[in-house]
Amino acid sequence: PRLPAGPVPAARDDGRLPALARLRRYDLELILDPAQPTFAGIVSFDLDLLEPTAHIVLHARDLTVTEARVERANTVFPATTAVRLAHGAREAPEELVVSLPDALPAGEARLVIRYQGRFNPELNGLYRVQVDGRWYAFSDFEPTDARRAFPCFDEPSFKVPVRVRLTVPQDVGAFANMPEASHADDPGAHTRAVLFDETPPLPSYLVAFAVGPFDVLDGPAAPVPVRVLAPRGRAALGAYAARVAGEHLGILARYFDRPYPFPKLDLVAVPDFQSGAMENPGLITFRDTALLLDAERAPSRAKTYMFAIVAHELAHQWFGNLVTMA
């Protein structure tokens, strides 16, 4: 039976999303070339609708939705979308309202959104950097900039597994929170689709990826593989940081009385970065000057600074990443 659509839920006074759906997991596919100003993506959410509704409200900023649909029991329901300001917001629309002609009963559903975006020039969300004529793309989502890269439920209480797939040019590397599961080349399009293992439950602000012609330095192999990713020709300067990180994994595992909670650790040197570092699980990003140094020539204060930042970001892997405040 058809159920009336009902009005669109108003933006909440506290700025949070309306409580219409419970997020269980999602798949994110990004098609990006750092040498180009734009990117595209598809994001698919597994949801529990908490009550009969024709509307789902999530976050998106500076993205163009080209298709939205809701799937249930092998039936596809085409949807329309509109953006709006959150309550009290003045800067830009950040709430995305997905609407169906009729309400769906409460229960499981899958929301699929296809969209396009532009790399952000402000060093947040998803942005790109040129180094020695080569382009690199980086993500930086804390506190509320994941919505600039993909439509999402951009609040820490929505903490669920995510599966990431990056389609990139064949001549660059693609990295994310989790180890690579598989890849497939498309010789005609000169692209490579890289699929990563599904993450443990994460909030959107901790999803991370980096794309570009990185040099990779292998560090300690235990308790998990540690690597440094750096712009071409600079990875050797990360050897000291890799050793320090490997030592801290053991120190912190003893302190927290549980092992490092992710299967690998990449330390990423970012040439243009607003912060000193960001604690993305398994893919920690650092301002390159804080991570890369010549251990034989660097002054002790530079080593101490790097040592402190690595210790801080690794502690976050347990406190903030494994355990996250709602």
Side-chain angles (χ1 to χ4, degrees):
R2 297 180 63 178
L3 300 173
V8 176
R12 285 176 46 161
D13 291 345
D14 62 3
R16 305 289 290 273
L17 293 174
L20 301 171
R22 179 184 298 113
L23 179 63
R24 289 188 283 112
R25 67 176 301 281
Y26 62 97
D27 295 279
L28 171 63
E29 178 176 357
L30 277 169
I31 304 162
L32 58 89
D33 178 352
Q36 303 300 319
T38 62
F39 59 89
I42 305 170
V43 60
S44 304
F45 304 94
D46 293 336
L47 304 170
D48 290 324
L49 303 183
L50 303 180
E51 59 187 54
T53 183
H55 311 287
I56 301 169
V57 182
L58 61 162
H59 290 109
R61 177 170 177 174
D62 301 329
L63 302 175
T64 300
V65 174
T66 57
E67 179 192 1
R69 65 182 188 269
V70 177
E71 301 172 354
R72 172 180 280 181
N74 299 318
T75 302
V76 176
F77 302 90
T80 59
T81 61
V83 294
R84 69 182 187 187
L85 289 170
H87 181 81
R90 296 180 178 86
E91 187 175 354
E94 296 195 13
E95 290 190 352
L96 176 68
V97 181
V98 179
S99 298
L100 300 170
D102 304 300
L104 287 177
E108 295 182 2
R110 187 170 177 84
L111 170 63
V112 181
I113 299 175
R114 187 183 297 268
Y115 67 97
Q116 297 174 343
R118 299 184 67 85
F119 286 107
N120 193 334
E122 299 176 354
L123 302 183
N124 50 33
L126 182 55
Y127 67 97
R128 60 184 188 141
V129 175
Q130 191 175 35
V131 182
D132 298 330
R134 302 179 180 93
W135 285 99
Y136 300 79
F138 301 97
S139 64
D140 189 41
F141 293 158
E142 189 181 34
T144 58
D145 286 318
R147 63 192 69 176
R148 294 176 182 263
F150 55 97
C152 56
F153 295 79
D154 201 12
E155 295 177 3
S157 59
F158 293 96
K159 185 176 180 181
V160 298
V162 56
R163 193 75 178 259
V164 174
R165 177 187 176 102
L166 300 178
T167 299
V168 301
Q170 280 183 316
D171 59 350
V172 303
F175 305 88
N177 301 97
M178 299 298 284
E180 179 181 320
S182 64
H183 68 263
D185 290 341
D186 183 341
H190 306 288
T191 60
R192 170 171 293 171
V194 183
L195 180 66
F196 298 90
D197 289 339
E198 186 172 271
T199 71
L202 294 181
S204 52
Y205 81 93
L206 291 176
V207 175
F209 29 83
V211 173
F214 294 97
D215 281 349
V216 179
L217 174 74
D218 290 322
V224 297
V226 177
R227 302 183 298 185
V228 172
L229 314 179
R232 186 68 56 84
R234 302 183 186 180
L237 295 174
Y240 186 66
R243 179 169 68 81
V244 168
E247 293 170 351
H248 269 80
L249 289 178
I251 293 168
L252 291 166
R254 293 190 295 273
Y255 179 82
F256 287 110
D257 196 24
R258 64 176 61 203
Y260 171 73
F262 303 100
K264 58 95 173 173
L265 175 61
D266 289 336
L267 313 176
V268 187
V270 183
D272 287 317
F273 197 38
Q274 290 193 107
S275 307
M278 176 59 202
E279 67 268 18
N280 310 303
L283 191 81
I284 304 176
T285 46
F286 297 81
R287 187 179 299 168
D288 58 355
T289 54
L291 185 72
L292 306 179
L293 55 81
D294 184 336
E296 294 185 359
R297 295 180 174 85
S300 60
R301 64 180 179 275
K303 293 181 182 180
T304 301
Y305 177 62
M306 185 275 294
F307 195 93
I309 289 181
V310 168
H312 177 106
E313 304 306 331
L314 284 181
H316 268 306
Q317 305 301 300
W318 286 263
F319 195 21
N321 297 1
L322 176 65
V323 178
T324 305
M325 293 185 294

